[in-house]
Amino acid sequence: MKDKGKNSIGNFRLQIGIILFLSCVIFFYNKILGVVIFVGYSLITILNQRSSKVKKDEWSEIEKFSSKLDIASQNNLVKMPYPLIIASGKGSILWYNQKFHDILKERKILGEDIKNISKEIDILKFLNGTEKITFVPIQEKFYDISANIVAINEESENPDKVVLLYFIDTTEKYELLKDIEENKVSIMLIEVDNLDEVVKTTEEDKRPLLVAEIERSINSYAQNLNAMIEKKSQNKYVLAVEDKYIHMEMDKKFDILDHVRDLDIGNKLSATLSIGVGINGDTPLENHKYAAAAKELALGRGGDQVVVKNRDRLNFYGGKTQEFEKRTKVRARVIAHALVELINESSNIIIMGHVNPDMDVLGAGIGINAACRMLKKKCNIVIDDVNNGIKIIYNRVKELKDYEDTFISSESAKKLIEDNTLLVLVDVHGIDYVQNKDIVNKCKKEL
């Protein structure tokens, strides 16, 4: 490498000599042109010399690393049957084999940071013990990356470390898993939750047309989702839908709600839908149970909305119209059943009301807490400020044995939140009025 450096310097001097000679000859005939040519060629030569120096330094690092490997190791690395990169402990690419060169085609990466290949490759994770990263996208393919840590200069107190990264093409596996995931069957339950009331407010000769148009809209919706649909009664439908279409509908906010609500065939009331969706269950039967619980919750919340139940997570869509009040025993039973299912599926329950809690918050909180205790679930009520309006009742309740550890502060509540914690909001109609927004944002399940 030193001989190459000396030859490089000699070549550089020879080039300068030739340029100087030619410039003098041209300068004799045309001074300006001679000066321009001399300056131009000098700049080009200097830039080339710097580029050569950079490459020389890079190869110097490679040679320095290669010198620490025995011949057998070098042969094994070169003949490795799958793509391989050797990177420094700081993430700089020291070497890669022909297999990896074929992945990148003509791109040169020697000396670059490993993150330039993919931001998901983190050398620090491997150095800290991570053995494998799965499905890393590179050049429109996916790879599982395994790593080995090799210490060099082992005699020194702080030996240098290099990371050997092995790339296994898992594109087929990724596409297969993606296809399986997208083609899993979700269950959607649709109910026209105010069909009788809508029909009664419509002129008698237009009633059949209205009912037919609502049914046609739902059937057309199912057809667009490539779903199997079955009509269970005059206002209830069951759909079996592939997951990928459910995710598309979630992105579109389930615009079927708006379409049915906007139907106008002489009806004075707008028709609304309550939809429950069960997704990501282990079986279609489990997804049906999720969908049934989600639909009951949608009905209990006033209808005109979609509730998606993804195992322990709930997502809500719609609910744009003013609730059509039906204070009946049936509606109360629907809400109660949905609440019991949510409580049973949760690890613990946190109850919270609005800022400056009043007797409504305290009473509702105590009622929900009693239900949780009957279901043998740990439950706490969040109250930060005990004002004069609730102070007397609050102190009396707190003295009872069943409520000794029930009331907690927001800060204490945050420490109790788990992935499966259920947050129940009482006497609150907007997130801006809750006692603590952080609790709402941190809880994955809320009612």
Side-chain angles (χ1 to χ4, degrees), residues 129-406:
T130 300
E131 294 182 356
K132 189 176 183 181
I133 301 177
T134 58
F135 300 133
V136 176
I138 302 174
Q139 296 289 93
E140 299 179 356
K141 287 193 173 185
F142 293 86
Y143 296 86
D144 284 358
I145 304 175
S146 298
N148 279 338
I149 312 298
V150 178
I152 53 179
N153 309 347
E154 291 186 353
E155 308 81 32
S156 65
E157 293 182 3
N158 296 309
D160 295 329
K161 291 183 179 180
V162 294
V163 185
L164 280 67
L165 301 174
Y166 308 92
F167 293 74
I168 309 299
D169 189 341
T170 53
T171 306
E172 257 186 63
K173 180 181 177 182
Y174 175 84
E175 296 294 344
L176 181 61
L177 290 174
K178 182 181 177 183
D179 190 53
I180 291 172
E181 195 66 29
E182 288 182 344
N183 290 300
K184 287 173 67 176
V185 176
S186 299
I187 301 298
M188 180 184 293
L189 302 180
I190 300 178
E191 180 172 337
V192 187
D193 48 29
N194 61 344
L195 183 62
D196 291 339
E197 289 82 3
V198 172
V199 170
K200 287 177 183 178
T201 64
T202 307
E203 294 178 16
E204 190 169 348
D205 59 331
K206 293 181 179 179
R207 290 176 183 177
L209 293 176
L210 175 63
V211 173
E213 185 58 27
I214 292 173
E215 185 170 345
R216 188 199 67 79
S217 298
I218 295 173
N219 282 319
S220 177
Y221 178 66
Q223 187 175 359
N224 290 337
L225 299 180
N226 287 328
M228 181 220 77
I229 183 170
E230 181 180 352
K231 186 175 181 180
K232 302 296 290 182
S233 64
Q234 188 177 12
N235 66 328
K236 296 180 181 179
Y237 303 81
V238 179
L239 281 69
V241 193
E242 290 179 347
D243 278 11
K244 58 185 176 183
Y245 293 108
I246 296 297
H247 291 297
M248 288 168 57
E249 285 302 297
M250 290 169 74
D251 292 336
K252 292 161 57 178
K253 310 297 182 186
F254 291 90
D255 52 8
I256 180 65
L257 296 174
D258 299 326
H259 178 75
V260 171
R261 192 189 310 111
D262 292 340
L263 292 177
D264 184 4
I265 307 180
N267 46 300
K268 296 179 182 179
L269 283 178
S270 295
T272 60
L273 303 179
S274 289
I275 301 177
V277 180
I279 188 171
N280 206 27
D282 293 330
T283 64
L285 178 60
E286 189 170 24
N287 278 335
H288 186 273
K289 290 179 180 178
Y290 289 166
K295 192 189 77 170
E296 287 183 358
L297 189 56
L299 285 166
R301 286 163 55 95
D304 186 33
Q305 59 193 277
V306 180
V307 179
V308 178
K309 184 172 173 56
N310 183 347
R311 289 189 179 272
D312 295 328
R313 290 174 51 198
L314 292 169
N315 296 93
F316 301 88
Y317 303 86
K320 294 181 179 179
T321 59
Q322 186 175 359
E323 180 180 345
F324 186 79
E325 292 290 348
K326 291 190 291 182
R327 301 286 181 184
T328 65
K329 293 181 181 180
V330 174
R331 183 172 183 273
R333 188 167 62 249
V334 165
I335 297 172
H337 182 69
L339 180 59
V340 168
E341 282 209 12
L342 284 172
I343 291 172
N344 281 328
E345 292 171 357
S346 304
S347 58
N348 64 309
I349 295 87
I350 294 175
I351 303 168
M352 183 169 66
H354 52 71
V355 291
N356 297 320
D358 52 19
M359 289 300 294
D360 290 340
V361 170
L362 187 61
I366 291 172
I368 299 295
N369 178 269
C372 293
R373 282 191 285 107
M374 289 179 64
L375 296 170
K376 298 181 180 179
K377 289 290 182 177
K378 175 65 176 175
C379 178
N380 294 97
I381 303 173
V382 178
I383 292 185
D384 286 326
D385 300 315
V386 181
N387 54 56
N388 292 330
I390 64 171
K391 190 173 183 179
I392 296 175
I393 300 298
Y394 172 83
N395 289 334
R396 286 184 181 179
V397 171
K398 196 173 181 181
E399 290 174 358
L400 299 175
K401 185 177 180 181
D402 290 337
Y403 292 89
E404 286 179 353
D405 302 318
T406 298

Side-chain angles (χ1 to χ4, degrees), residues 6-138:
K6 290 179 180 178
N7 291 337
S8 174
I9 294 171
N11 291 336
F12 178 63
R13 289 173 178 170
L14 178 61
Q15 291 170 5
I16 291 293
I18 293 172
I19 293 170
L20 185 61
F21 173 75
L22 292 174
S23 298
C24 290
V25 173
I26 296 171
F27 184 79
F28 180 77
Y29 295 99
N30 188 323
K31 294 180 180 180
I32 296 175
L33 182 58
V35 171
V36 171
I37 290 174
F38 176 76
V39 172
Y41 274 97
S42 296
L43 288 173
I44 292 171
T45 305
I46 291 169
L47 290 174
N48 284 337
Q49 185 69 11
R50 287 184 177 177
S51 177
S52 298
K53 186 177 183 304
V54 171
K55 290 181 180 178
K56 173 187 169 186
D57 292 342
E58 285 181 358
W59 282 109
S60 176
E61 288 294 321
I62 298 299
E63 288 180 349
K64 181 179 176 182
F65 171 74
S66 298
S67 67
K68 294 169 184 174
L69 298 172
D70 56 34
I71 293 174
S73 298
Q74 293 181 36
N75 287 336
N76 285 334
L77 291 176
V78 171
K79 295 178 181 179
M80 192 72 66
Y82 34 77
L84 170 69
I85 284 181
I86 299 176
S88 71
K90 295 182 179 179
S92 178
I93 297 172
L94 300 175
W95 183 87
Y96 54 97
N97 64 0
Q98 183 63 41
K99 292 283 186 181
F100 196 86
H101 178 270
D102 294 341
I103 293 176
L104 298 180
K105 300 174 182 177
E106 300 301 320
R107 182 180 166 192
K108 308 296 182 185
I109 59 169
L110 200 62
E112 289 188 13
D113 192 304
I114 192 75
K115 284 189 176 290
N116 290 347
I117 297 173
S118 174
K119 292 181 179 179
E120 294 183 27
I121 306 175
D122 190 344
I123 290 295
L124 288 177
K125 285 185 179 179
F126 289 120
L127 292 173
N128 291 330
T130 300
E131 294 182 356
K132 189 176 183 181
I133 301 177
T134 58
F135 300 133
V136 176
I138 302 174

